[in-house]
Amino acid sequence: MAAKGGKSGDLREACVKQALAIIAKDGIDALSLRDVARRLGVSHQAPYKHFPSRDHILAEVVGRAYAGFAAYLEKRSRSDDPYEDLGLLGRCYLDYAQKHPLHYQLMFGTPLPDPAEHPEMMDKAEHAFATLRETIAKLPGRAPAASVDLDALYAWSVVHGLASILQTRATQQLGIRKATIAEATAHTLSRIGAALGRPRN
Amino acid sequence: MAAKGGKSGDLREACVKQALAIIAKDGIDALSLRDVARRLGVSHQAPYKHFPSRDHILAEVVGRAYAGFAAYLEKRSRSDDPYEDLGLLGRCYLDYAQKHPLHYQLMFGTPLPDPAEHPEMMDKAEHAFATLRETIAKLPGRAPAASVDLDALYAWSVVHGLASILQTRATQQLGIRKATIAEATAHTLSRIGAALGRPRN
DNA sequence: TCCCTAGGTTGACACTGTCTACCTGAGCCG
DNA sequence: CGGCTCAGGTAGACAGTGTCAACCTAGGGA
């Protein structure tokens, strides 16, 4: 008995969607394949026909988050000015994290399924860093590759750090005003530019 | 029957230590109070005499990580020069994350026990940010408090982002050389200084 | 038409967190 | 001194989970 209204591919897809819904509502810890099955009206073992283990379905969910993130970054605005281009990338990165907190958290949260056992999960995982690298390589004075890597690491640290921090309750608990939070993205991106030698107007 | 060789406080302490050992070895997901009890040679219910739930023992472990982190930062070297002072703080922060990856991950990993239900877990959670704030407030030209908060958020984003990234396998997968990683801390701290207007020698 | 396989169902098992009842020893009070 | 209370344990039960194993059915291909 296939899931309501379709072929087996539909059950697989329905499992992924349901897993995401459960995680969205109650967190990764609450993900239970039996719950998934129950919600889809199939036997508790049916999801295992498509995913050998709980980790596999989680890896699928995470892998899709990476892919969605990569696609989002690809669609960003661009500029011929390298500093502005970098700013637009940073902006896009943080926008994604803000608009899709769950997906962002899925990508960088712990514990994830072991990448060695789920290589396809990582297909698009490197995209953000690679994009940062390329964008930074275009900045003036970036000759050695190691220097590009160092600044790409720096930039990634900043945006990843801010994205992560903004997703926690920490900012509320630290007594940081909402107006300050609202300015944080622009301010932080400005600081990246300053750090990387953007000319002052 | 108290745990091997002592009063009940000893079982409580032993539970915390064992929980940390289990987490260190197999990750937070592997933490099981029955496993803790088994390893300590007590009945499976005994840990519940000291911790009402699994979340409570986890909150204790995390709270101790925060306290240890705060103590570590308090012991850092300091300087009269505000930029150098900031650099020393950043250095200390990243050193801690490097020397105590498990503890760092415990503090910032998801999902944590609900802070609202475990307020004592957060006793020292704000320390790092508060310290960053104070240190940045000493930099020249930091009059408005909101400006201090913005730059403290920026600096925190950088160090937290880098600490997090360096703890994942991501850097290996991204083809970043070890030599580059080794330089990342110094380079990133230098970039923070540049971003925050450190005079050039 | 027959066989194989994909994709389901069902039941079992071991493990977990938590609830409940019970026990013992120590300390305190009358 | 004896009785009571409580802290801190033991043991058993229950519900839920992930996973293993056996079985079934329908569709497709030879």
Side-chain angles (χ1 to χ4, degrees), chain B residues 106-175:
Chain B
L106 277 172
M107 292 188 290
F108 294 104
T110 57
L112 285 188
D114 183 2
E117 307 216 26
H118 304 277
E120 66 298 326
M121 175 176 80
M122 311 305 288
D123 278 351
K124 294 290 185 183
E126 307 166 9
H127 180 270
F129 185 74
T131 309
L132 268 173
R133 220 190 222 148
E134 287 162 22
T135 308
I136 281 172
K138 293 174 192 159
L139 299 182
R142 305 294 144 152
S147 175
V148 172
D149 274 5
L150 279 169
D151 280 334
L153 248 188
Y154 159 73
W156 188 24
S157 296
V158 183
V159 290
H160 173 55
L162 184 60
S164 305
I165 287 164
L166 291 183
Q167 289 202 359
T168 68
R169 303 272 178 84
T171 51
Q172 299 171 32
Q173 289 151 4
L174 294 170

Side-chain angles (χ1 to χ4, degrees), chain A residues 77-144:
Chain A
S77 305
R78 311 201 189 201
S79 168
D80 287 335
D81 177 62
Y83 283 105
E84 190 169 339
D85 201 38
L86 179 60
L88 290 169
L89 175 58
R91 171 99 241 175
C92 190
Y93 189 110
L94 291 166
D95 278 351
Y96 181 83
Q98 185 178 33
K99 287 178 185 166
H100 304 282
L102 170 66
H103 289 90
Y104 195 78
Q105 200 173 14
L106 276 172
M107 292 188 290
F108 295 103
T110 57
L112 284 189
D114 183 3
E117 307 216 20
H118 305 278
E120 67 298 326
M121 176 174 82
M122 310 304 289
D123 278 349
K124 295 289 184 183
E126 307 166 9
H127 180 270
F129 184 74
T131 307
L132 266 173
R133 219 190 222 148
E134 289 161 21
T135 308
I136 281 171
K138 292 177 194 158
L139 299 182
R142 306 293 145 156

Side-chain angles (χ1 to χ4, degrees), chain A residues 10 23 33 37 46 58 65 69 77 88 99 110 113 120 128 132 136 149 162 166 170-171 175 178 181 187-188 199:
Chain A
D10 284 350
I23 292 169
L33 262 63
L58 189 51
F69 186 35
S77 305
L88 290 169
K99 287 178 185 166
T110 57
E120 67 298 326
L132 266 173
I136 281 171
D149 274 4
L162 184 60
L166 292 182
T171 51
K178 291 193 177 177
I181 303 297
H187 183 81
T188 296

Side-chain angles (χ1 to χ4, degrees), chain A residues 5 31 36 56 76 90-91 103 108 130 168 184:
Chain A
L31 178 62
V36 168
H56 284 84
R76 72 189 186 280
R91 171 99 241 175
H103 289 90
F108 295 103
T168 69

Side-chain angles (χ1 to χ4, degrees), chain B residues 45 51 54 140 199 201:
Chain B
Q45 184 64 13
F51 301 97
R54 180 180 178 275
N201 300 329

Side-chain angles (χ1 to χ4, degrees), chain B residues 8 11 34 43-45 49-50:
Chain B
S8 65
L11 178 61
R34 282 183 182 240
S43 74
H44 75 90
Q45 184 64 13
K49 288 298 175 185
H50 303 280

Side-chain angles (χ1 to χ4, degrees), chain B residues 49-62:
Chain B
K49 288 298 175 185
H50 303 280
F51 301 97
S53 72
R54 180 180 178 275
D55 258 4
H56 284 84
I57 194 171
L58 189 51
E60 178 72 25
V61 172
V62 171

